[in-house]
Each structure stands twice: as structure tokens, then as C-alpha cells.
Amino acid sequence: MPLPSHVTPAQGHSFSSPAPGLDSFRDHRDVASFAPAALGYALFATRWLQAPLYFGLVAAQGVYVYKFFNELWKLIVHVINGHADETYVMLAVLKLVDVVMIANLLIMTIVGGYETFVSRINLQGHRDQPEWLSHVNSNVLKVKLATAIVGISSVHLLQMFVDVHHTSQHALLWGTAIHMAFILSAGILAYMSGPMLESRKIGHGCGGGHAGGGHGGGGLADSHGEGNLQLIPKPSTGAHDDATSSGRATPSASAATSASASASALGGSGAESRIRAAGFPAPKALEDFDHEYPRSLDREAVAMLGKLHFITAKENVVLLGPPGTGKTHLAVAIGTRACQAGHQVLFATVAEWVARLADAKAAGRLTEELARLDRYPLLIVDALGYFPLQAEEAQLIFRLVAHRYERGSLIVTSDKPLSSWDLVLSDTAVASAVIDRLVHHSEIISVEGDNYRMRDHGGFGFTSPAVR
């Protein structure tokens, strides 16, 4: 009897009787694999034995708080009574600084050590998250601790020189030697952590840049002078081979998935792995953006976006402007900061999003793919408008925007004003529906100016269109 149309031959084979002894073989194999897995999980669970140690350091932090205010009270009393000369005040202040620096060292050890060796502290972009915690790992933690120790040693040595009349030459000599040893060890740690990080990046890859190619322009990066962007390998087969043959880039949807999986295998708690998995075309930072170059830009709004409140509020960002005005730079920079704050981010051009969703639709799993993207608090859709979308492609973009509505944040960059999106999306009704859901909870920023990449070539006579 023929199989139903929805059952594949492989599925149909499962109705037949299994080979003799196959179940018993699987049972033995499962038992054999379960034992080492259970042992590994048990060993991994022993990391919680460290948790009480960090709470003990919290108690030590309280001791240093008491010591700080005790020394501060002594200083105030001596100054009021007129018993404090300049040397005494300087030594007392240095002692207070010393206590604060040791307290800082304790905080880095407590928070950074717990995050690195015990369990993830999921702050998810909390406004009070320390800057150093966003990119902490074992190498960074060691270097920061070594640097803090050098700072504490510097304060101790300065105390000796300030009170040189009451410090023996022997103590000065050994204090200087020990301080130089701390500096040398910190330098060695910093040097070693650099090559180790580079080897890690080389060994596991950098996530690949998402840059489309061809005359369609779907992969044009719109930031300040990017070059040498990596292309994600296109799939050998798929629903968009015809688009590829016409010159439009169709990167593999599974490439971003494999990048995300490899980043998770590296230890997804690190900001570096999240940045690699995001697939940014090039490293960008808000601090590197030339805010003076655009003729028109709401700089306060950009600064607010850098605080990432829009992600926790599940709002969107729309960046509009002519090519080369830095829209992609801003999108990548905000996305990078989100990665550093603990958010997972995914970057792709419109061509790549269309290819990814089309492949999922062809496989009958578009709904599952959209739901899987919910794990990313921020998605970046770059270069909308560089080429017009076909009706089916526009429908896929609508499905993405509609699914993300009040569920997650989007950053969309476009060189076309909103009033021209009906031409980009090939349908006025679809364009209206996309804009309605995209801008309802959003920050719309227009970046007006000349092409930054063409600033040294006189623009070749082209003028930047106005953005409405």
C-alpha cells in the first residue's frame, strides 16, 4: 500500500519491524553513554561549592567598609583638633584610597569570578551593569586583577616615599622590587592573553560578515568606509537559486545558525562570542562614529539608543538616510553594545533575511523559524530599499516585522523615506502594514549628509537625496 503523501520513505520505513536485537543494542549503548555524561554533569555541578566562598568575600567587603569609615573618622578628628600636618593628611588619604582599591579588587573577584566560574549573572542590559562585566572572561579577569594589584602596590609604594623619613632603605628597596615584579607579571599576563584570544578567534572563526553582493546592492554596507567584508557562503541548493543567478546575494540561513551554535560551544556567556555570533560585517563602536559629519542628526536620540532601553521596552529603531551616511555603522555599534550588555543580536541584510525566511518557508517551518528568532532580543535588518522586493519577498519581510511586533526589537536601515516604501515592498498595502507595526513603538532617526566614503572623491557630481 502506498504511503500517505505527508510521510517520507524514511518515515515509512519506521513502520516495519526493527532488526532483531537492535533494541537491546541501543539499550546497552544508551547505558554506556549515560554513565560518563552523568559523571560529567556531577563534576560540573561541583562549581556551586565555590558560591559560599564568594559570599565570604562579600563579608570581607563589609570589613573594608568599616575600616574605611574608621580611618576617615580618625582623619576628621585629627584635622579638627589641629594635630594633622600635610604629611599626615596625605598618608591618611592614601590609606583611604588603598582601602577603596582593595574593595574594587574584591568586587571584581566576587562578581567576575562568580560569572566566570560558577553561574551566569543575567543582568540583560541593566543600567547599572559595570562596563568591565560586559566582556569578562577568565583571561580578561586575570589581567584586570593583576592591574588592580599593580595599582594597590603603587599606592603602598607612594606611602613609603611620602613617609620616607620613617621608612628604612631596606623597606624602600624591597617595596620597589616587589612593585616592579607586579608590573612585570601583569605585563606578561596581558601579553599572553592577547595571543590566546587571537588563536581562539582564528580557531573558531569570527562569525562571518553578512554582506550581500551583485548589482542588486542588497549587501551594501552603509557605514563609514568599511571594506573587505566577508561573504557568507550561499547554499548550493534552495528556493533562491534563481535570485542568485540574477546577481542577488542569497547567503545561507544555516550559516548564522552554525555561527550561533559554535559561539554557544565556546561559552556563550562572553560578549565576544555574542558579537561573533551576531554576524556583524565589521567591528563598529558608537564612540568611533563621526557625529559632526552628517548635516542633520539627532545626537541626543543616538546617545539614548546607546543606553539600550529600547530593547527592554521591545521597541524598534528606524535609521533613514542616503547611502554612506553611517546608518549601518550606527546599527552595528548599537548591536555591539547590546551584545556587551548580555543581549543576543542577529545582523543581516534584507537580501539575507529574505533568503533565510524563504528557505524556512520552502521547508515548511517558517513559523518555527520566526519563533526561534524570539531568542534574539534584537534583530538588525540592513539595507532595505537598495533593490525592490518581489511580492513574495515583501510578504516575508511583513511576516518578520509582524511577528516581532511588541515581542522583540528591530533596527531597520533604509536609504528610502517611509513614503517610498510602497515601491520597495512592491505593494502599498504591504508597505502600510509593515510601517504601521514597525513605527508604532519606535525611534525614527534621519541621517542627512554627503556620502562619507566618497568624501575624498568629490562625490562624482552626485547629490544626496533628501530624507522625508
Side-chain angles (χ1 to χ4, degrees):
M1 183 179 69
L3 294 172
S5 59
H6 64 276
V7 179
T8 64
Q11 290 172 322
H13 183 71
S14 64
F15 292 115
S16 60
S17 301
L22 182 59
D23 289 340
S24 60
F25 168 75
R26 287 175 177 170
D27 292 342
H28 290 301
R29 184 177 62 182
D30 291 343
V31 171
S33 62
F34 175 76
L39 180 60
Y41 280 117
L43 290 175
F44 183 63
T46 60
R47 73 191 189 279
W48 290 104
L49 293 175
Q50 291 191 46
L53 304 182
Y54 291 106
F55 284 104
L57 290 179
V58 172
Q61 182 90 317
V63 172
Y64 269 97
V65 170
Y66 169 78
K67 181 176 176 60
F68 178 89
F69 284 103
N70 188 40
E71 294 294 336
L72 180 61
W73 176 250
K74 289 181 180 179
L75 174 60
I76 293 174
V77 170
H78 278 73
V79 171
I80 293 175
N81 294 334
H83 299 152
D85 57 9
E86 184 178 357
T87 301
Y88 178 85
V89 172
M90 190 177 297
L91 288 172
V93 170
L94 286 175
K95 189 176 293 185
L96 294 176
V97 172
D98 184 34
V99 172
V100 171
M101 295 186 70
I102 293 176
N104 292 341
L105 178 62
L106 279 172
I107 283 291
M108 282 192 288
T109 305
I110 294 169
V111 180
Y114 186 91
E115 161 107 0
T116 304
F117 301 110
V118 178
S119 179
R120 175 78 183 277
I121 303 176
N122 194 3
L123 296 179
Q124 286 296 331
H126 192 281
R127 62 181 182 181
D128 294 329
Q129 178 182 354
E131 182 275 333
W132 55 269
L133 185 60
S134 63
H135 51 265
V136 69
N137 55 44
S138 56
N139 286 332
V140 172
L141 185 61
K142 285 186 290 186
V143 173
K144 286 188 175 295
L145 292 178
T147 306
I149 291 173
V150 169
I152 294 170
S153 175
S154 300
V155 173
H156 281 218
L157 191 60
L158 182 57
Q159 286 177 308
M160 290 183 181
F161 282 112
V162 170
D163 197 24
V164 68
H165 298 295
H166 298 89
T167 306
S168 66
Q169 186 176 0
H170 181 269
L172 280 174
L173 178 63
W174 276 107
T176 305
I178 293 173
H179 180 64
M180 295 304 298
F182 284 145
I183 292 177
L184 181 62
S185 62
I188 293 174
L189 274 176
Y191 173 78
M192 292 178 63
S193 66
M196 288 186 344
L197 181 60
E198 289 301 320
S199 64
R200 178 176 168 184
K201 287 182 179 178
I202 294 172
H204 297 278
C206 295
H210 289 218
H215 58 267
L220 293 175
D222 189 10
S223 57
H224 293 359
E226 291 141 7
N228 302 324
L229 305 184
Q230 295 179 335
L231 291 174
I232 293 181
K234 64 180 180 182
S236 57
T237 60
H240 275 256
D241 287 346
D242 56 341
T244 306
S245 64
S246 66
R248 189 175 298 173
T250 58
S252 171
S254 62
T257 304
S258 62
S260 178
S262 62
S264 299
L266 290 175
S269 62
E272 295 165 359
S273 63
R274 288 191 292 273
I275 291 173
R276 287 197 301 275
F280 297 127
K284 297 294 178 183
L286 284 176
E287 294 77 12
D288 298 331
F289 184 78
D290 187 355
H291 289 80
E292 302 303 322
Y293 188 80
R295 288 194 299 270
S296 176
L297 175 65
D298 190 342
R299 292 163 181 81
E300 291 185 4
V302 172
M304 284 299 298
L305 293 177
K307 297 181 179 180
L308 309 178
H309 298 323
F310 76 96
I311 297 179
T312 55
K314 298 180 181 179
E315 297 175 346
N316 302 319
V317 177
V318 182
L319 299 170
L320 304 174
T325 51
K327 302 183 298 296
T328 299
H329 184 131
L330 290 173
V332 171
I334 294 169
T336 300
R337 184 167 291 187
C339 290
Q340 294 170 343
H343 298 293
Q344 285 188 297
V345 180
L346 202 56
F347 175 99
T349 63
V350 169
E352 293 165 354
W353 281 117
V354 167
R356 179 182 186 129
L357 298 177
D359 290 342
K361 182 179 180 180
R365 52 177 181 82
L366 178 58
T367 302
E368 290 78 2
E369 177 67 11
L370 292 172
R372 197 185 72 82
L373 292 172
D374 288 343
R375 74 183 65 177
Y376 298 92
L378 176 61
L379 301 180
I380 300 177
V381 181
D382 190 42
L384 178 65
Y386 280 102
F387 59 88
L389 299 177
Q390 302 299 322
E392 292 184 0
E393 297 173 332
Q395 287 289 342
L396 292 173
I397 294 298
F398 167 74
R399 287 288 301 273
L400 176 64
V401 173
H403 181 83
R404 298 289 293 184
Y405 178 65
E406 295 184 340
R407 189 183 269 121
S409 295
L410 285 168
I411 294 180
V412 178
T413 72
S414 177
D415 70 328
K416 299 292 190 296
L418 296 178
S419 58
S420 299
W421 280 22
D422 57 335
L423 302 177
V424 175
L425 298 175
S426 304
D427 188 282
T428 302
V430 172
S432 177
V434 168
I435 294 172
D436 174 64
R437 288 162 176 79
L438 187 63
V439 306
H440 182 209
H441 307 295
S442 71
E443 180 73 40
I444 303 177
I445 296 180
S446 294
V447 189
E448 299 182 20
D450 298 323
N451 191 313
Y452 189 88
R453 291 184 288 269
M454 305 300 294
R455 64 193 184 281
D456 297 327
H457 303 284
F460 289 105
F462 294 106
T463 58
S464 298
V467 177
R468 300 187 296 276

